[in-house]
């Protein structure tokens, strides 16, 4: 996280206690992979473009009578438009959630690949299993649920991906 000279990777004491030094090195390599692959600037650019699109949509709705009428509102003003837009926006963005999560999962695979190149893939596999176990996360979530709720690939897929790099 951070910008310029103030970038940091934070490893919490609980993680340090749970993992071996080699596993910690692999996790650190994964996090460095996010930096090396420029995931933060890419994500910020994507979010900026989405924000601009949402502001444009809000501007278009300010003067759209059908928007207010469709929601049963008689009096129109910018404050009402903002409130209604805030209520409707999550429904409109719902179809984009799988796309956003797919981009995030792609970044996770890229960071995993960087870690496998920079350290040992098997150490990252063991670290992932430990972290999933300690966090009581399911190793095989429902695929439809995962599309909408998981920014990281399921553990089984990540492990299979990492194992394919060790051969």
């Amino acid at each position: 996280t951070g910008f310029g000279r103030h970038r940091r990777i934070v490893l919490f004491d609980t993680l340090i206690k749970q993992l071996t030094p080699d596993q910690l090195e692999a996790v650190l390599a994964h996090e460095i992979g996010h930096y090396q692959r420029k995931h933060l600037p890419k994500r910020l650019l994507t979010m900026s473009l989405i924000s601009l699109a949402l502001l444009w949509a809000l501007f278009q709705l300010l003067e759209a009578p059908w928007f207010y009428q469709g929601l049963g509102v008689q009096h129109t003003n910018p404050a009402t438009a903002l409130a209604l837009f805030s209520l409707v926006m999550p429904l409109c963005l719902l179809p984009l959630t799988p796309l956003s999560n797919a981009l995030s999962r792609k970044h996770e695979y890229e960071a995993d690949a960087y870690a496998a190149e920079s350290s040992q893939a098997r150490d990252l596999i063991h670290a992932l299993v430990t972290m999933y176990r300690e966090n009581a996360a399911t190793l095989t979530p429902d695929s439809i649920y995962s599309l909408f709720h998981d920014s990281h690939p399921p553990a089984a897929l990540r492990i299979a991906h990492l194992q394919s790099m060790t051969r």
Side-chain angles (χ1 to χ4, degrees), residues 108-121:
E108 290 304 314
Y109 282 127
E110 289 174 359
D112 284 350
Y114 182 88
E117 294 166 11
S118 303
S119 64
Q120 296 293 320

Side-chain angles (χ1 to χ4, degrees), residues 109 112-113 116 121-122 125 156-167:
Y109 282 127
D112 284 350
R122 63 178 155 65
I125 290 170
L157 296 179
R158 285 181 79 180
I159 290 167
H161 182 249
L162 285 163
Q163 286 173 335
S164 74
M165 290 184 239
T166 60
R167 295 179 188 142

Side-chain angles (χ1 to χ4, degrees), residues 64-124:
W66 60 266
F67 177 64
Y68 299 98
Q69 291 168 356
L71 294 170
V73 174
Q74 302 301 320
H75 303 289
T76 65
N77 62 53
T80 304
L82 181 60
L84 293 173
F85 187 72
S86 297
L87 292 172
V88 172
M89 185 177 53
L91 293 173
C92 297
L93 292 178
L94 185 64
L96 296 178
T97 302
L99 296 173
S100 175
N101 284 341
L103 178 63
S104 180
R105 287 189 291 268
K106 177 181 181 287
H107 288 171
E108 290 304 314
Y109 282 127
E110 289 174 359
D112 284 350
Y114 182 88
E117 294 166 11
S118 303
S119 64
Q120 296 293 320
R122 63 178 155 65
D123 291 327
L124 184 55

Side-chain angles (χ1 to χ4, degrees), residues 7-110:
R7 292 183 292 257
R8 303 283 186 271
I9 294 175
V10 178
L11 300 176
F12 291 95
D13 60 341
T14 51
L15 185 68
I16 294 170
K17 289 176 187 172
Q18 292 169 356
L19 303 179
T20 68
D22 289 338
Q23 292 170 351
L24 281 171
E25 180 184 315
V27 169
L28 186 58
H30 169 91
E31 298 305 329
I32 291 171
H34 285 301
Y35 170 76
Q36 290 294 326
R37 301 290 191 254
K38 303 191 182 333
H39 293 158
L40 180 60
K42 289 176 184 176
R43 199 73 166 162
L44 286 173
L45 177 63
T46 302
M47 295 309 293
S48 297
L49 293 174
I50 290 170
S51 296
L52 285 174
L54 290 173
L55 285 172
W56 178 83
L58 175 59
F59 180 74
Q60 299 304 309
L61 293 175
L62 283 173
E63 302 297 328
W66 60 266
F67 177 64
Y68 299 98
Q69 291 168 356
L71 294 170
V73 174
Q74 302 301 320
H75 303 289
T76 65
N77 62 53
T80 304
L82 181 60
L84 293 173
F85 187 72
S86 297
L87 292 172
V88 172
M89 185 177 53
L91 293 173
C92 297
L93 292 178
L94 185 64
L96 296 178
T97 302
L99 296 173
S100 175
N101 284 341
L103 178 63
S104 180
R105 287 189 291 268
K106 177 181 181 287
H107 288 171
E108 290 304 314
Y109 282 127
E110 289 174 359

